[in-house]
Amino acid sequence: MSEKTDGVAIVPGSFDPITNGHINIVKRAAELYGRVYLAVMINSEKSYMFSLEERKKIAERALEGIDGVSVISSEGYLWKLAKDLDAVAIVKGVRNEVDRAYELKMAEYNAERNPVAKTVLLECESGLGELSSTLVREKILNGEDISEYLPSSAVDEINKIRAERF
């Protein structure tokens, strides 16, 4: 394990919704950096089950009690957010080579605009490689149990949001 730095790291993503895989990456980032921001972002190429504010609230519930971690949301560019937060790292999880190729392309884009914030890729841990927000959304739509994919606090928040909608 590397020594912890005082620096700021951002763990960005859509988090529609956050999963245990995302939480694992956040916890590992918190072991490396003094301050971690989970940034719930907008990707104009995606359509979402949950609104930006709902995704933020679900993530807040899922990450309660993890020291040094805050949840924020942003509709802007990641490189700009990193600059605004004085981040030294953008931490991304990768499950496979497709993820890795995409993240390396994004890392190059961000580095051209903000060379201070280095992209750090963390391999997903064993047992989490098949977990995705897409899988969780499919289970929600089919009325299936999602409790093995995210913390009970996040499941409770999802259930609350769904109850308010119908």
Side-chain angles (χ1 to χ4, degrees):
M1 169 68 66
S2 299
E3 190 173 313
K4 189 172 188 168
T5 77
D6 288 334
V8 172
I10 301 173
V11 179
S14 298
F15 307 110
D16 188 35
I18 193 168
T19 69
N20 287 334
H22 298 129
I23 295 165
N24 177 267
I25 296 298
V26 170
K27 286 179 177 177
R28 291 165 59 199
E31 292 174 357
L32 299 172
Y33 300 95
R35 185 96 203 117
V36 175
Y37 291 95
L38 177 118
V40 181
M41 309 284 290
I42 297 280
N43 179 340
S44 60
E45 296 175 13
K46 292 184 177 181
S47 56
Y48 296 103
M49 175 176 277
F50 299 101
S51 71
L52 181 65
E53 282 306 309
E54 289 169 339
R55 290 182 281 135
K56 182 177 184 255
K57 183 67 176 167
I58 294 164
E60 287 170 341
R61 292 289 308 277
L63 298 173
E64 286 173 351
I66 302 176
D67 290 337
V69 176
S70 299
V71 178
I72 60 174
S73 61
S74 175
E75 297 183 44
Y77 291 105
L78 177 57
W79 66 266
K80 175 84 167 79
L81 179 62
K83 190 174 276 194
D84 291 346
L85 294 173
D86 293 322
V88 296
I90 296 169
V91 180
K92 299 290 294 195
V94 293
R95 296 170 292 192
N96 53 45
E97 288 308 311
V98 173
D99 282 357
R100 178 179 301 290
Y102 175 80
E103 295 303 346
L104 289 174
K105 191 168 103 175
M106 292 292 92
E108 187 177 322
Y109 174 87
N110 290 320
E112 288 171 359
R113 287 150 184 84
N114 180 2
V116 173
K118 306 292 185 207
T119 297
V120 175
L121 302 181
L122 297 180
E123 300 285 335
C124 78
E125 289 193 346
S126 179
L128 296 174
E130 300 302 314
L131 180 54
S132 69
S133 294
T134 302
L135 171 70
V136 174
R137 286 192 309 273
E138 287 173 7
K139 299 242 179 237
I140 291 169
L141 287 172
N142 291 326
E144 298 176 40
D145 181 29
I146 58 170
S147 60
E148 71 180 276
Y149 305 112
L150 54 169
S152 60
S153 56
V155 173
D156 291 345
E157 189 62 31
I158 288 170
N159 290 335
K160 180 178 157 192
I161 290 166
R162 294 188 76 223
E164 290 171 358
R165 286 188 186 172
F166 302 105

